[in-house]
Amino acid sequence: MWFARFARTRSLAARLVTDGHVRLNGKRAEAPARGVAVGDVVTVAAPHGTASVRVLDLGERRGPAPEARRLYEDLLGSDGGGSLESL
């Protein structure tokens, strides 16, 4: 989630998972280190917003926001491209 810019830091991304705000393919993500694969659907339902995305690519690094947005397809059609990086 940090890699695709859903959270500003790795620790905040991990906290979203441990607090129960993240689902992977419809099931609650139990561990922050859980891997994802191309085609997986990740849903983040945080208090400040919800994003649901399909993983298109895993990428090689944490790049700028436009590069990160190419890693997933926004399933909710929001203007923010699925990003919740206001954490």
Side-chain angles (χ1 to χ4, degrees), residues 13-33:
R15 186 169 177 193
L16 282 171
V17 173
T18 57
D19 287 351
H21 296 293
V22 179
R23 293 192 176 276
L24 179 60
N25 296 321
K27 296 180 182 176
R28 183 177 173 192
E30 297 295 331

Side-chain angles (χ1 to χ4, degrees), residues 24 35-41 55-56 58:
L24 179 60
V36 297
V38 172
D40 283 350
V41 174
V55 178
L56 299 177
L58 300 179

Side-chain angles (χ1 to χ4, degrees), residues 7-72:
R8 290 183 186 180
T9 66
R10 291 173 83 166
S11 61
L12 287 174
R15 186 169 177 193
L16 282 171
V17 173
T18 57
D19 287 351
H21 296 293
V22 179
R23 293 192 176 276
L24 179 60
N25 296 321
K27 296 180 182 176
R28 183 177 173 192
E30 297 295 331
R34 170 75 190 229
V36 297
V38 172
D40 283 350
V41 174
V42 179
T43 303
V44 182
H48 62 280
T50 300
S52 185
V53 300
R54 182 178 322 280
V55 178
L56 299 177
D57 192 7
L58 300 179
E60 296 180 16
R61 66 184 183 103
R62 185 177 197 257
E67 184 178 313
R69 280 191 292 273
R70 290 193 296 267
L71 299 177
Y72 55 85

